[in-house]
Amino acid sequence: MKIPIISTKMAVVVPGLPCHCPTTRLPPAVQASPARVSFPTRIAPPNGFESRWKGAVCARSIQTKRKMAVPLRLSLFHFLALLVLLPQPGARWLGASRTAAAAAARIGPLPTAALRRLYDTSNYGRLHLNNGLALAPQMGWNSWNFFACDINETVIRETADALVSTGLADLGYNYVNIDDCWSYVKRGDKDQLLPDPKTFPSGIKSLADYVHGKGLKLGIYSDAGAFTCQVRPGSLRHENDDAALFASWGVDYLKYDNCYNLGIKPEERYPPMRDALNSTGRKIFYSLCEWGQDDPALWAGKVGNSWRTTDDIEDTWKSMTDIADKNNKWASYAGPGGWNDPDMLEVGNGGMTFAEYRAHFSIWALMKAPLLIGCDVRNMTSETKEILSNKEVIQVNQDSLGVQGRRILSQGEGGCGEVWAGPLSGKRLAVTLWNRCSETVNITMTLADVGLDGSSAYSVRDLWKHETLSAAVGTFGAQVDVHDIKMYIFTPDVSLSAI
């Protein structure tokens, strides 16, 4: 197949290679210095590609006085690799067979008709990975939101230390996940992935041993394409070798991205890595990062332990709220073994207020989203720690029932006063009153609105004030400040009666 090449001032662009270019944002470590962000010249996508295609070159050159990211240049080496990976006429990509044995665990039926109607779980599928992981959403830390490519083994070691010393590890934040830029720009003599010798000179095995010695787990990053988003070697057509290598290093988690995917459907590209990971004999959490473009909730429950339902999050109120809305659509598909992933937490990165970060954390917890810290935990403020270490909110996220909470009703001008809720074990219900308005509002609801028995009394626990309130009967409400949230657990004083 002949591939036309278009030269630009910044890159060699290969038409026919759809790839994702998240909206540019500078991590906090970079924002202190003036930055110039340059994009490659854009070209129109070939007919038939996704409307969200934004150019063939994903990586961006971000130059500041303090650091420079990976150059945005596809070398001759990269181009030749693409030639090898592109299917020849008549060639077929090998599909992945489903795992032979699938766990039979499912979410149990909710106790009342009202709860079953409001909190539908009918799309929650059987567990196909059979790896015993993700019985609750994953918790931990990821390097990308704050550090981007400016990572090294010292940062990872110090982050592991900080998770332990701050008490966050004791609360369940046990994955230390290295994102893009850990690997060298090309494979080794035996076609194997190599750690970047400048930033990870001790190797990943040594780093995994250090993290394990802290009682934590190490995660790593690769891509279901020819290259990663920062133009490091991807794992497409290298799944077995790369999975075996990750297992030999002691890796516990794989985030698998979607750049340079050669236009191959994700349903074809992601299962081979699932099978490769399973074949290693090591339990490795499999996190699909497909950006929600092909509605992974419809198929990824058979493939991964979690799947991204949205584009990359940004450290802004608008991005966070938009992503919450998009993730809400897929609530009925999540459950033990496989979770919707609206991307990592931005709490503590400086782009939102304390109230907005509290809302961000509360809604992510209620939605049973992964709680992956995205700030520099070595230097977090007391306010950031207060949010991230709220044990009562974390318990909602990790509740054994495993039903994703969702938006139940909206009220007020523009519907900016919202009630979100989700069932918990022990016939309890988590409820949030979320003010997305530009002024303080009163948000009210009837107990029947959220699926409770309006004639029964419920004990109400305020999860941010850590107080038990007067019993609620019939109705409930509270005044909520601008962009803030109230979060409660309703517990019946008597058993829920059938509705």
Side-chain angles (χ1 to χ4, degrees), residues 122-286:
S122 62
N123 291 310
Y124 168 61
R126 294 180 180 273
L127 310 185
H128 285 248
L129 288 187
N130 197 26
N131 63 2
L133 299 174
L135 298 182
Q138 65 268 39
M139 295 178 62
W141 174 88
N142 178 281
S143 61
W144 184 258
N145 283 0
F146 186 86
F147 292 97
C149 263
D150 193 16
I151 56 171
N152 56 63
E153 63 182 40
T154 300
V155 167
I156 305 305
R157 289 173 186 263
E158 290 179 352
T159 296
D161 295 342
L163 288 173
V164 173
S165 65
T166 58
L168 291 172
D170 290 336
L171 293 171
Y173 295 99
N174 58 4
Y175 284 109
V176 181
N177 293 343
I178 313 169
D179 210 283
D180 205 348
C181 302
W182 65 268
S183 65
Y184 189 51
V185 293
K186 60 178 68 177
R187 289 178 175 267
D189 294 340
K190 298 180 180 179
D191 212 21
Q192 80 276 27
L193 292 173
L194 298 171
D196 189 316
K198 293 183 178 179
T199 52
F200 291 86
S202 301
I204 304 302
K205 177 65 168 64
S206 174
L207 193 57
D209 290 344
Y210 184 86
V211 170
H212 293 158
K214 296 287 180 177
L216 303 172
K217 299 177 181 179
L218 185 75
I220 210 162
Y221 167 100
S222 191
D223 192 285
F227 306 105
T228 72
C229 297
Q230 296 296 313
V231 202
R232 311 295 174 104
S235 290
L236 184 64
R237 287 190 166 180
H238 293 273
E239 292 88 355
N240 289 329
D241 290 342
D242 291 355
L245 184 63
F246 297 152
S248 73
W249 286 342
V251 166
D252 305 292
Y253 186 112
L254 174 64
K255 175 182 174 181
Y256 207 41
D257 218 333
N258 195 33
C259 285
Y260 296 99
N261 56 48
L262 309 188
I264 306 166
K265 291 183 177 181
E267 295 94 322
E268 297 178 39
R269 288 181 291 107
Y270 282 90
M273 182 57 82
R274 168 202 63 191
D275 297 338
L277 293 173
N278 285 345
S279 70
T280 67
R282 181 176 181 81
K283 289 186 177 182
I284 299 177
F285 192 108
Y286 188 25

Side-chain angles (χ1 to χ4, degrees), residues 315-328:
D315 188 18
T316 67
W317 169 255
K318 185 181 186 306
S319 173
M320 184 271 289
T321 54
D322 287 350
I323 281 179
D325 292 339
K326 292 174 183 177
N327 190 65
N328 182 58

